[in-house]
Amino acid sequence: MLNTIMSPSVLSQLSIHSRHGRVCVSPCFSLQQRNNSTSPKIKVDLDSSTGVAVLRMQSPPVNSLSLDFLTEFCINLEKLEMDRSCRGLIITSTLSKVFSAGLDIMEMYGKSPERCGEFWKAVQEMWLKLYGSNMATIAAINGSSPAGGCLMSIGCDYRIMADNPRYSIGLNETQLGIVAPFWFKDTLVNTVGNRAAELSLELGLLYSAPDALKIGLVDQLVPEDQVLSTAQDTMSKWLAVPDHARQITKSMMRKQTIDKLLSNREADITNFVSFITKDSIQRSLRMYLEMLKSRKA
C-alpha cells in the first residue's frame, strides 16, 4: 500500500542484500519535498508517425505518487487513450536513479478521512487506467521502483530495466507493517506466479535488477543509456500485432483482476481509510518522518 525512497541518492545507501540474493530495505514510504512550483509533473511526447507516446515522470526528487501527480498522470493517460493515433505508450523517468519511489507519505499523514479516501481513489484510478489500457504499454525502468512504483511497472505489458544491481524493484510493504491490498497482490501473482509473489509479499522483498529478471518481475535488462531506445525498438514488435487481436487478448487475461477491484472499489477505499487513519499507523508515519528528517540533518 505504501512506499520506499527518501531522496534521489537513496537506495544504494539503504539496500541490504539478503541471503537469498534479493534486496530488502526497511523504509517503505516516499517523502515528496514540497515546493510551490506549478511545473507539470508529467511530460508526454507523441510521435504521430509511429503512434507511440513517451510519458516522462518529472516530479523531483523521486516522482512520489501524490494526489496531484496521480491526477495529472490519469488525465494524460485518458487523453492518449482517446487519441486514435496513439497505439503504444512508454513510461519512464527524467530523474536520476529513480523511476518512482511510490506513494507520497504526506498524502497519508495528518490528513482527514475524506482526503485519504480521495487519494486512494486516485491510486486505484491510476492502476485501472494503466492495467486496462487498450494501448501497448512498456515500462522503461531507468532507476529504482519500489512499492507503488513497482505497481505502476507491473501494470504495463512489458518491463525493461536498467542493468544496474544498485537499482531495485518490488512490493515491499510488509517491511513497515503494511499489507498490500488484494489488487496489488493479484497483479504481482499475474506477473511472477503465486509462489514468487507469496515470498515477495510476505517478506517485503525488493529485488536487484538481475534478481528481478530471474523471477520475471522484469522482462529485459539493458545498459542504462539504452533503456528508452530499447523500449522504442521493442514497441515496434508489439505494434506489429493487429490492435484488435492484442487488445482482446489483453482484456481476456486481465479482465477478471480488473473486475474484482471494480466490484469492491468502495470497500477497498473504506478499508484503506480505516487503516491509515488509525492512531497506531499515524504514530508510525510520524516516527518515519522524524527518521527522514534526522537522516537529512
Side-chain angles (χ1 to χ4, degrees):
M1 196 180 298
L2 311 171
N3 295 61
T4 329
I5 296 184
M6 40 178 104
S7 79
S9 58
V10 284
L11 242 107
S12 59
Q13 301 168 12
L14 297 176
S15 299
I16 301 172
H17 287 265
S18 76
R19 289 175 299 172
H20 302 288
R22 302 175 178 92
V23 182
C24 299
V25 298
S26 53
C28 284
F29 300 95
S30 165
L31 176 61
Q32 181 76 52
Q33 296 174 345
R34 289 293 184 266
N35 58 62
N36 295 321
S37 173
T38 57
S39 300
K41 296 173 173 55
I42 303 292
K43 183 177 186 292
V44 176
D45 294 300
L46 172 60
D47 186 336
S48 57
S49 66
T50 63
V52 177
V54 178
L55 184 153
R56 293 175 172 87
M57 299 180 286
Q58 52 179 27
S59 183
V62 290
N63 287 329
S64 292
L65 307 184
S66 64
L67 179 57
D68 287 346
F69 181 101
L70 290 165
T71 301
E72 192 174 327
F73 184 92
C74 288
I75 289 172
N76 278 283
L77 217 58
E78 189 166 349
K79 286 180 179 177
L80 292 172
E81 201 75 54
M82 294 174 65
D83 187 336
R84 296 198 174 196
S85 70
C86 184
R87 301 174 59 214
L89 172 65
I90 297 169
I91 300 175
T92 193
S93 168
T94 64
L95 307 182
S96 173
K97 302 178 183 178
V98 61
F99 180 74
S100 170
L103 306 191
D104 188 345
I105 187 175
M106 295 308 295
E107 294 288 1
M108 295 169 278
Y109 176 67
K111 296 293 191 293
S112 69
E114 293 75 19
R115 170 72 182 206
C116 289
E118 183 183 5
F119 171 65
W120 195 244
K121 187 174 183 179
V123 178
Q124 293 177 335
E125 193 67 20
M126 177 273 290
W127 178 81
L128 287 167
K129 286 187 182 303
L130 186 57
Y131 200 61
S133 174
N134 279 323
M135 296 178 288
T137 56
I138 295 178
I141 309 167
N142 53 341
S144 288
S145 189
C150 177
L151 180 71
M152 182 183 290
S153 299
I154 61 178
C156 293
D157 299 321
Y158 196 81
R159 284 157 292 285
I160 299 168
M161 190 170 185
D163 190 3
N164 186 332
R166 297 172 78 95
Y167 294 162
S168 58
I169 183 171
L171 296 177
N172 58 321
E173 283 75 6
T174 53
Q175 286 286 324
L176 247 170
I178 306 300
V179 178
F182 68 87
W183 43 286
F184 282 48
K185 180 268 293 181
D186 291 344
T187 311
L188 186 63
V189 169
N190 291 348
T191 304
V192 301
N194 196 82
R195 181 55 179 160
E198 185 176 30
L199 289 172
S200 176
L201 291 170
E202 288 193 24
L203 296 175
L205 299 177
L206 285 174
Y207 296 86
S208 67
D211 286 328
L213 181 65
K214 287 178 185 176
I215 69 163
L217 189 55
V218 300
D219 300 296
Q220 192 175 350
L221 298 184
V222 299
E224 194 163 346
D225 61 354
Q226 296 176 26
V227 171
L228 182 56
S229 60
T230 303
Q232 291 167 328
D233 290 342
T234 302
M235 182 61 78
S236 64
K237 299 175 184 176
W238 282 78
L239 298 186
V241 177
D243 287 347
H244 71 279
R246 178 186 51 75
Q247 291 164 356
I248 292 171
T249 302
K250 180 176 181 176
S251 176
M252 182 171 58
M253 297 297 295
R254 299 188 173 193
K255 186 177 187 300
Q256 184 176 1
T257 305
I258 292 170
D259 285 349
K260 187 176 176 182
L261 175 58
L262 288 174
S263 61
N264 293 279
R265 194 167 183 181
E266 290 304 319
D268 182 61
I269 293 172
T270 300
N271 289 339
F272 170 78
V273 172
S274 174
F275 176 83
I276 207 66
T277 55
K278 286 181 180 178
D279 289 343
S280 59
I281 300 302
Q282 288 293 304
R283 282 196 298 271
S284 294
L285 295 181
R286 184 176 67 250
M287 290 172 61
Y288 184 77
L289 283 169
E290 290 170 353
M291 181 270 289
L292 293 186
K293 289 177 182 177
S294 67
R295 283 178 179 265
K296 287 179 66 177

